[in-house]
Amino acid sequence: MISEESKKIILDLWAAREPDITYPAASKSQIEEFEVACREIPEDYKWFLLNCGGGVIGSEWVDRIDELHSTHIKFDEECATENGWTIGNCFIIGWDGSGSPIAIDPDGRIIVEWEADSEIYQLASSLEEWLLNGLAPSNG
């Protein structure tokens, strides 16, 4: 879980960002609608959606709530194909610049599966770490 101290830092960093690289925060009803239609959102990512909405983290775009449903449909379809994605038990939060899925794995790590080599790489040990690193002024 994201610590209260980190939540404050993330919110302060998010508020200082240019508006053209952020999405509006999700509402509780949007979160509930997604979870009924698709799947449960990990708690830390749910907090991020409710408080920040989505946008650029480091060099990648993270989905806003109204993009998540189509993202998960696309991902599920691609997992079902021959030579498809292999991280199907994860929660997809967006796509990197090359079209590879960025996800939260069951252990809470942020991972990406690169299509070029079908390898899975850890980007951060948690959403908290990934957000803090990606929002730091030197990285953003």
Side-chain angles (χ1 to χ4, degrees):
M1 295 298 291
I2 299 175
S3 73
E4 292 303 315
E5 179 181 340
S6 290
K7 286 179 180 180
K8 182 182 179 336
I9 293 168
I10 291 165
L11 292 174
D12 288 345
L13 290 169
W14 199 260
R17 307 189 97 207
E18 295 294 323
D20 61 338
I21 62 169
T22 63
Y23 296 129
S27 68
K28 287 183 181 180
S29 64
Q30 287 175 307
I31 297 286
E32 291 168 1
E33 288 170 15
F34 174 85
E35 290 186 323
V36 167
C38 201
R39 57 185 53 111
E40 187 174 344
I41 300 171
E43 286 303 313
D44 284 349
Y45 188 56
K46 190 182 304 187
W47 174 87
F48 174 75
L49 289 170
L50 288 167
N51 291 279
C52 300
V56 175
I57 306 295
S59 62
E60 308 301 342
W61 281 85
V62 176
D63 284 356
R64 61 183 179 246
I65 189 67
D66 59 353
E67 295 172 320
L68 276 180
H69 192 261
S70 61
T71 285
H72 281 262
I73 289 171
K74 174 185 172 185
F75 179 76
D76 290 346
E77 288 172 352
E78 291 180 13
C79 281
T81 64
E82 185 177 341
N83 299 319
W85 302 117
T86 63
I87 58 170
N89 62 337
C90 296
F91 189 91
I92 306 306
I93 61 173
W95 304 87
D96 74 6
S98 66
S100 297
I102 299 171
I104 301 171
D105 79 2
D107 294 324
R109 297 175 298 197
I110 303 301
I111 60 171
V112 63
E113 180 176 359
W114 284 323
E115 187 173 24
D117 57 14
S118 297
E119 290 294 320
I120 298 168
Y121 297 92
Q122 180 175 308
L123 301 176
S125 62
S126 67
L127 183 64
E128 178 177 10
E129 176 187 312
W130 193 60
L131 290 172
L132 290 170
N133 289 339
L135 294 174
S138 62
N139 295 334

